[in-house]
Amino acid sequence: MSSIQPPTLSFEVFPPQSPADRAALLTTLDQLRGCHPAFVSVTYTNHQLDYEQATLGLAQTVQARVGCPVMVHLLAAYTSKTQVSRILADLESLGVTQILGLRGDLDPGQTPGADFPHASDLIRFIKARNPQFRLAGAGYPAGHPESPTREADLAHLQEKVAAGCDRVMTQVFYDNQQFDRFRADCAARDITVPILAGILPILSRQQALRVETDFGARLPQPLRTRLDRVWDDPVAFRAVGLDYAVEQINDLVAHGVAGIHLFTLNQASTVAAIYARTAALFEK
């Protein structure tokens, strides 16, 4: 029997905005239960939402419905030390011990707080106050859009790891060579924590048009060509997007990725389609 551990498989969901969205999310969570995830992450993308209701409420639902560890997103830019201390206490009471520390998008109409200018400041604060929490930080294979250079971006990642991150979770990407370069650059800087690859299937024309602006993720020409061929056929378009995601995952696993983190968009059908074709890659 091989002693090599298979990669982890995890999923991301986000708080629903309507009763219909909640019903769809519950179906997705039921689907996730059969995928045996290492953890499910719960986003918090809008600092104007009520964190306890949106993120902590969903974390409880995931624990009850999926029965796996939960990782919650926590944003630095608009959060104070007092708020974080209260949230950490709430997380402890819920049995949630994993956090993805992010700076968060800046709102042009609102001044960010002074306590945590960067994700590394938030991570350092949590690790000093509650060292039992497992902390993850974000990595950017294409480089963070606000970083002046790739070297500056990698230096920021080093700061997050030094502050207490035990894992890196990447922004979405569609060129595995870009991920390979990022992983090599991390190794050259002695960033040795596991790097989980963020995968977001492109399932619609609207999504294809948005990924570069929303995520800074470049679509490689072979993928563009395949999508162009089915641009006016939504069913075929979705099939091509799913095929490409599966190909990405197979290639990443073949090259020793530590884990795959699948952005579900709360769609059960996407989870089912990809897991059916990749489950054997994650079996112990």
Side-chain angles (χ1 to χ4, degrees), residues 34-115:
C35 299
H36 314 293
F39 65 88
V40 171
S41 73
V42 177
T43 71
Y44 179 58
T45 56
N46 185 344
H47 64 272
Q48 296 176 341
L49 292 176
D50 180 81
Y51 187 86
E52 282 77 6
Q53 180 178 354
T55 297
L56 298 189
L58 180 51
Q60 289 180 282
T61 302
V62 171
Q63 286 177 318
R65 203 97 178 187
V66 184
C68 72
V70 177
M71 173 187 289
V72 297
H73 294 205
L74 189 54
L75 308 186
Y78 299 97
T79 311
S80 68
K81 291 180 179 179
T82 299
Q83 290 171 313
V84 170
S85 297
R86 185 183 72 247
I87 289 169
L88 294 178
D90 290 341
L91 292 174
E92 283 191 288
S93 69
L94 295 176
V96 175
T97 60
Q98 300 187 52
I99 296 172
L100 174 60
L102 303 164
R103 187 201 66 181
D105 295 333
L106 299 181
D107 185 342
Q110 186 168 350
T111 302
D115 285 349

Side-chain angles (χ1 to χ4, degrees), residues 174-175 202 207-209 211-212 217-224 227:
Y174 297 94
D175 184 343
I202 295 180
Q207 190 180 0
L209 295 171
V211 291
E212 292 189 332
R218 180 178 62 85
L219 299 185
Q221 190 57 49
L223 175 57
R224 287 180 180 273
L227 293 175

